[in-house]
Amino acid sequence: GGGGAGFGGAAGANAAGQAVQLQRALSEGQVHVTVIVPNNDVGLVIGKGGATIRSIQERSGANVQIPQSPDHDNPAIRSVNITHPNKEGAEFAKTLIEEVLSAKQNQGGGGGGYGA
């Protein structure tokens, strides 16, 4: 089964391009899930050089789109779009993102042993 779509450079995908991609996925009957990410934590989800988001996409097989800027109606958050051919994959990607966010909350002092 072919490789997942690469994450086209965090800065590269502009909002219009993301919207087109989302529409195409929906027209193909893909499942669309939205996950709310605090604007301050977007960097965590993307990871160093896009490593975290790439790992999430590879593990789930989903396409994850992180908007370039916060939501218009709420600048404190970004609505991240997840598309996947089936619901399980989309939900799995959402879970992985939520795990990244909750891991940050749990990392008080001395969060050693963190890594692949």
Side-chain angles (χ1 to χ4, degrees), residues 26-110:
L26 293 177
S27 73
E28 291 169 1
Q30 293 203 24
V31 179
H32 175 221
V33 174
T34 309
V35 58
I36 303 301
V37 175
N39 192 43
N40 299 340
D41 295 339
V42 166
L44 283 171
V45 176
I46 295 172
K48 195 171 184 180
T52 306
I53 190 74
R54 201 173 298 122
S55 162
I56 289 169
Q57 292 190 116
E58 284 170 4
R59 287 172 63 190
S60 63
N63 180 24
V64 182
Q65 293 183 351
I66 299 179
Q68 294 291 290
S69 50
D71 289 14
H72 291 302
D73 52 353
N74 186 350
I77 62 164
R78 293 196 208 185
S79 297
V80 174
N81 291 305
I82 300 168
T83 50
H84 194 283
N86 63 56
K87 191 175 192 319
E88 291 74 23
E91 293 291 346
F92 183 51
K94 180 177 181 178
T95 302
L96 291 174
I97 290 173
E98 287 168 347
E99 279 176 7
V100 169
L101 296 173
S102 65
K104 173 229 173 188
Q105 263 116 43
N106 300 337
Q107 265 184 342

Side-chain angles (χ1 to χ4, degrees), residues 8-27:
N14 62 12
Q18 286 191 353
V20 168
Q21 218 178 343
L22 181 59
Q23 288 311 118
R24 190 180 303 135
L26 293 177
S27 73

